[in-house]
Structure formats: C-alpha cells, structure tokens
Amino acid sequence: MDFLQKLGHKTLSRFASIGRATQMLLGALLNVPNLRQGTPLLIKQLYMVGHQSLLIIMVSGLFIGMVLALQGYTVLVGYGAEDSLGPLVALSLLRELGPVVTALLFAGRAGSALTAEIGLMKATEQLSSLEMMAVDPLKRVVAPRFWAGFISMPLLALIFSAVAIIGAHLVGVDWLGVDSGSFWSIMQSQVSLQQDIMNGLIKSFVFALIVTWIALYKGYDCIPTSEGISKATTETVVHSSLAVLGFDFVLTAVMFSS
Amino acid sequence: MSQSIVEVKDVTFSRGDRVIYKNMSFSVPRGKITAIMGPSGIGKTTMLRLIGGQLRPDSGDITFMGSSVPAMSRSELYQARKQMSMLFQSGALFTDMSVFDNVAFPLREHTQLSEDLIRLIVLMKLQAVGLRGARSLMPAELSGGMARRAALARAIALDPELIMYDEPFAGQDPISMGVLVRMIKSLNEVLGLSSLIVTHDVTEVLSIADHVVIIAEQGVIGSGSPEQMLAHSSPLVQQFLQGLSDGPVPFHFKAAPYEQELLDGGL
C-alpha cells in the first residue's frame, strides 16, 4: 500500500512538473519581446550560449574527426577500401556524431550554465524583483536564452562536423597517405544534402529544443538554495544527455530506417 | 480619496496544511510609514508578496489604491505594480548590470524617455541615496549597505505610490542602519509616498514609523502608533517589543519535565 502511494505521488508530481515546464515554455514563446528591447538581449545570449561554447565544440570536433579517421583507416585498409574514408567520416559526423556530440557538449557547457544562472537569479530574488517591477521574467530572462540556444546549437553542430572533417583529412590524407582527390570526391558523391545534411540539421534543432528547455526549466523551477541549484545543474546535464540519446534513436529510426 | 493605500480584509492564507494567517485585517495609511513587526517565521514577507500579487489569499481581500489585488488580471496587476515597488532583503540587484543600469532598468522598460533624460533621472535618484559616485560599479563591488541603497534608488526610479521594504535593516552595521533609517524617513517625506516596512528591528523602526502592526498567532495582535504599542497591555506585544527571552513565546521548545528526563537517564 505504501509502495502504491509513493508511486502515485511520484507519478502525479512528475506530471505536474511536465505541466509547469510546458507552461514555462509556452509563456516564453508566446510573450515575444519587442524588437527594440529583445534584439540586444538575444545577441547577448547568442554570445554567452553560442560563441562561448565555440572553443570546446571546435577542439572536440577536431579530435573526434582525427580519431574517427585513424580508426576508420585501420579497418578499411584491411579490405583495400581506404579511399572510402572520406564518406565514412562525413556520414558518421553529419548523420550522428555532429548533432549528438554537440548536444551532449552543449548540455555540459551551456545548459548547466543556464540552469545555474537562472537558479541563482531565483535564489537572489532577481526573478521576484522583475515581477514586482512589472516585467515578465519569462519574456525578459527565459525567452532570449531559449531562442539563443535554439539558434546556436544547429550552427555549432555544423561547425563541429566541418572541423571534424578537417581533422579526419589531417590524419587520413596528410598523415596516413589516403589520396586527397578520392577523400573529397567520394565524400561529395556519397553525401546527400537532403538525406544526410538536412536530417542531421533537423536532429540538431530537436536536440536544441530539448536541451535548452530542460536547462531553463530546471533553473526556473529549482529550490532556491545552494543545494537546490547544485541538484538542478546536475539534473540538467543528466536529463538532457539521456533525452538526447533517446530522441536520437527515435529520429534515426524515422529518418534512416527505410 | 481613501485614507488607506492598502487594505487587508479578513485574509486567510495557508501553505499546505500550515495556516499562516486566519481572518487577518489591517490597513496601511496613505503617506505614512507603517511597520509590520513580528517574530521570525510568522509570515511577514509573505504579507508583502500577497500585497504585491505574487501570492493569492485563500479567502478575504487585499486592496491597493481601492482595487482588489487578487481579482486583478495579469495585465492589471502589472499596471498596479508600476505604482508600487519592493526593496528585497538581498537588494536583488541584477548582477550583470552596473548600478547605473540597475536604476535605469525600470525606466527603460516602462517609459519611452530618451537616454539623456534617463541619465538625468538616474543621477538624481542615485544622489538621493548618496551613490552618484558609485554609478559605474557592479553589484559585486558594493558593500551590503550600498547594495541596499542602490536597490532603493531603483525602487524609487518610477516614483511609486507605495514602497514595501522587506527586512531593510537585516545584517547592516550601525552606520549603514542609521543611514537607511534616515533615508526611508526622508524619502517618505520628500516624495510623499507611503512606506510599508517589514522588520523585527524594533528600536530602529519605532523611531520612524507612524503606524505599527504587530503580527503573531496567525493574526494582528496589536496596531496603532508606536506610543500606543509601547503601552500595549498584551504580554505577547510587550515580550516582542522588549525582546524578552521568555513569556507567551516560550524560550524552551516543548519537552518532558527537565528533572524527570535527567533522572530517566539511569544515573
């Protein structure tokens, strides 16, 4: 009986939490800030969320591309198919690794920062003071951060894939001696704009929505204490990462299973 | 025009199973300094949030300038909040903005004034709190007292009708406390506004308050002028005002008799 009660209570609080998160997202999306006030806020957040994540994305992309080329070459050379290294690397990156690894890195770098920032604004009564100044915190604080995350993550994923392909070229062509012409030409013929690049981009937009939404909600709904903020920040990274991996499987099944 | 800027009428408010207020009523006179006092955890800050419309009472009504706050729509509430402001205990300055930008914030949000005019108004408000020279500092560079004064400048930026102060003297050194006490008094007189101070710093607030409301046991246990309160017959009021450690609010948490508990230890 006790178990059933606990299960019921947990289920209800989970649904209530989803309801509050949806309410927050709709509040942020429907309260569109005007152009004069909203643009500078969005640009600032694009810098904080997007530009500040650039270094970790580029460095990770470079190394992942290099490792991918090294591993791919080792397998392909056994079949005399090392010329296919270009498409192998490009397809892995554009379809999967680009969107997924970028989303995971984004959750760790920008998502946790968003949660901690909003949680701290709540703890220091900055959100309450906005409300008391007749300024909607969803419009002023949440909306620009949401749009900044939604816009910047797909761009970061494209940059990640581009830098990773350069890293793969460095290892595969410049170091291991794969023919440069084959590397690029087979890649060009095998990679489809619609099937690979666009689908990868759609995945990235979905992951951007999920990660940014979770990060903002966890900060907005956290218990305003140091322990509460710490818990919310951890939950942002864990929940975002799991959600990204889960949705990746679903999206891959829908996009590529046929 | 009504004599009261805020009227709290038969308000009942609970958090979960815990009743905070039960049929509580009092009023805040217009143009005066009103102090709400009471022991810690009695729900004084909650009262400010109810007046500001951040919380809704379970029953009863709260009016601000004649309009019912709980009955207001979101847009009406936001319009009403432009005429009231609140000084939070922490100051609640925006940490990513300088002192100048913090004070300019409500003006930029709610008016179409030019930047030149906003600059003039901000400098005047900062001059009133003695921080004109600190306008380019960030909140992290301010002392606790300075942060509260900067927040006060922001609170008066739109010339509100009512300012609510949440524990303005908590954690202040004697100099900062004296400065804040004089500032609240002079701002109230010069700007002709109404002030509502929530505090348990008895000496400081009684020196400037025109009207005192003491809250305990889910309701108002005494209200009137500071002199009337000092002469009040209620032992609870006297215990609170004189800071006595024992009285109607016991020093000891409810426990078994002392001797019995010591002897039960088996010595």
Side-chain angles (χ1 to χ4, degrees):
Chain A
M1 203 63 190
D2 205 33
F3 168 75
L4 278 179
Q5 198 177 11
K6 273 184 188 164
L7 185 70
H9 182 71
K10 207 154 196 174
T11 310
L12 282 176
S13 73
R14 221 14 87 84
F15 275 113
S17 175
I18 292 170
R20 286 199 303 275
T22 310
Q23 207 175 18
M24 186 207 75
L25 183 69
L26 291 177
L29 296 182
L30 297 178
N31 286 314
V32 182
N34 66 42
L35 211 60
R36 185 176 70 92
Q37 290 173 328
T39 311
L41 292 174
L42 179 63
I43 289 171
K44 185 181 173 192
Q45 289 309 318
L46 280 171
Y47 174 78
M48 301 295 288
V49 170
H51 179 267
Q52 300 277 60
S53 305
L54 211 48
L55 184 67
I56 189 172
I57 293 290
M58 287 175 72
V59 172
S60 306
L62 186 71
F63 281 107
I64 284 177
M66 287 161 72
V67 168
L68 209 53
L70 203 53
Q71 293 277 18
Y73 180 85
T74 315
V75 176
L76 290 173
V77 78
Y79 302 97
E82 66 270 24
D83 285 348
S84 299
L85 187 66
L88 170 83
V89 168
L91 290 175
S92 313
L93 286 165
L94 292 167
R95 286 181 172 196
E96 284 301 327
L97 291 175
V100 172
V101 177
T102 302
L104 296 178
L105 291 170
F106 189 87
R109 161 64 187 80
S112 57
L114 284 174
T115 304
E117 186 189 16
I118 293 184
L120 211 57
M121 286 179 87
K122 190 176 179 181
T124 54
E125 298 178 307
Q126 292 180 52
L127 296 183
S128 286
S129 78
L130 276 173
E131 277 187 10
M132 285 306 296
M133 279 190 268
V135 177
D136 188 353
L138 291 179
K139 193 171 169 180
R140 184 71 172 59
V141 176
V142 176
R145 284 164 177 78
F146 173 79
W147 287 112
F150 189 71
I151 293 167
S152 53
M153 201 202 287
L155 296 174
L156 289 170
L158 284 178
I159 293 169
F160 178 94
S161 297
V163 174
I165 289 171
I166 293 169
H169 185 274
L170 279 175
V171 169
V173 176
D174 299 331
W175 180 24
L176 300 171
V178 174
D179 181 61
S180 179
S182 307
F183 184 88
W184 291 118
S185 64
I186 302 177
M187 186 194 296
Q188 200 176 352
S189 66
Q190 293 291 311
V191 174
S192 145
L193 175 71
Q194 179 67 37
Q195 180 73 1
D196 304 316
I197 299 178
M198 289 310 288
N199 276 341
L201 213 54
I202 290 168
K203 273 187 177 183
S204 215
F205 273 115
V206 174
F207 297 159
L209 171 78
I210 293 167
V211 173
T212 318
W213 184 15
I214 290 176
L216 292 172
Y217 172 66
K218 289 289 175 190
Y220 201 72
D221 199 55
C222 75
I223 299 165
T225 60
S226 48
E227 193 190 357
I229 296 169
S230 148
K231 188 167 170 256
T233 312
T234 310
E235 281 178 356
T236 289
V237 178
V238 174
H239 292 188
S240 302
S241 304
L242 293 176
V244 164
L245 295 171
F247 271 87
D248 183 47
F249 175 74
V250 174
L251 290 170
T252 305
V254 171
M255 289 169 172
F256 300 106
S257 61
S258 59
Chain B
M1 193 188 286
S2 166
Q3 290 297 304
S4 303
I5 191 160
V6 174
E7 292 216 31
V8 176
K9 299 171 195 165
D10 295 325
V11 164
T12 298
F13 179 75
S14 322
R15 280 188 194 277
D17 295 334
R18 188 177 159 228
V19 178
I20 311 283
Y21 308 124
K22 202 170 178 184
N23 297 324
M24 185 159 84
S25 301
F26 68 89
S27 57
V28 178
R30 193 182 286 269
K32 307 274 187 199
I33 298 177
T34 301
I36 296 183
M37 296 198 285
S40 297
I42 209 76
K44 300 188 296 294
T45 304
T46 304
M47 180 44 68
L48 295 189
R49 291 187 186 275
L50 283 163
I51 294 170
Q54 288 187 303
L55 297 172
R56 280 171 192 268
D58 301 337
S59 64
D61 197 14
I62 297 167
T63 59
F64 171 68
M65 296 176 76
S67 305
S68 168
V69 176
M72 285 178 188
S73 67
R74 194 175 170 79
S75 59
E76 286 169 342
L77 190 60
Y78 273 29
Q79 282 304 317
R81 282 180 185 164
K82 289 177 189 171
Q83 293 177 297
M84 62 169 94
S85 62
M86 186 160 162
L87 183 73
F88 287 85
Q89 197 171 346
S90 60
L93 291 171
F94 302 127
T95 45
D96 59 338
M97 294 181 193
S98 66
V99 169
F100 182 94
D101 288 332
N102 262 287
V103 181
F105 180 81
L107 296 164
R108 287 177 179 146
E109 284 290 325
H110 295 306
T111 69
Q112 299 291 324
L113 298 175
S114 68
E115 274 303 309
D116 288 341
L117 205 50
I118 286 176
R119 181 179 171 275
L120 277 180
I121 296 171
V122 172
L123 291 180
M124 284 160 62
K125 302 295 178 191
L126 285 173
Q127 175 72 13
V129 299
L131 289 180
R132 190 166 46 84
R135 63 181 177 272
S136 52
L137 296 182
M138 296 301 282
E141 298 173 284
L142 302 177
S143 68
M146 286 167 79
R148 234 163 270 189
R149 280 151 64 191
L152 186 51
R154 186 178 67 180
I156 57 171
L158 286 174
D159 294 327
E161 294 286 332
L162 170 74
I163 299 192
M164 296 185 279
Y165 299 86
D166 184 9
E167 302 282 7
F169 313 119
Q172 297 295 305
D173 64 68
I175 299 174
S176 301
M177 201 182 275
V179 168
L180 279 167
V181 168
R182 279 194 299 278
M183 205 166 278
I184 291 170
K185 179 80 176 164
S186 64
L187 283 175
N188 205 76
E189 284 171 1
V190 173
L191 300 178
L193 41 82
S194 310
S195 301
L196 181 58
I197 308 174
V198 152
T199 184
H200 42 218
D201 291 293
V202 176
T203 319
E204 288 71 26
V205 82
L206 286 187
S207 68
I208 55 167
D210 303 302
H211 184 69
V212 178
V213 177
I214 301 182
I215 297 176
E217 296 172 339
Q218 303 172 347
V220 175
I221 57 164
S223 68
S225 67
E227 294 74 28
Q228 285 171 324
M229 285 299 99
L230 287 170
H232 203 282
S233 58
S234 160
L236 187 53
V237 170
Q238 288 308 321
Q239 185 192 2
F240 178 74
L241 292 179
Q242 294 175 33
L244 303 175
S245 62
D246 212 352
V249 178
F251 171 70
H252 290 289
F253 195 77
K254 201 175 174 185
Y258 189 37
E259 296 81 3
Q260 183 192 331
E261 200 149 1
L262 289 177
L263 292 171
D264 282 352
L267 286 173

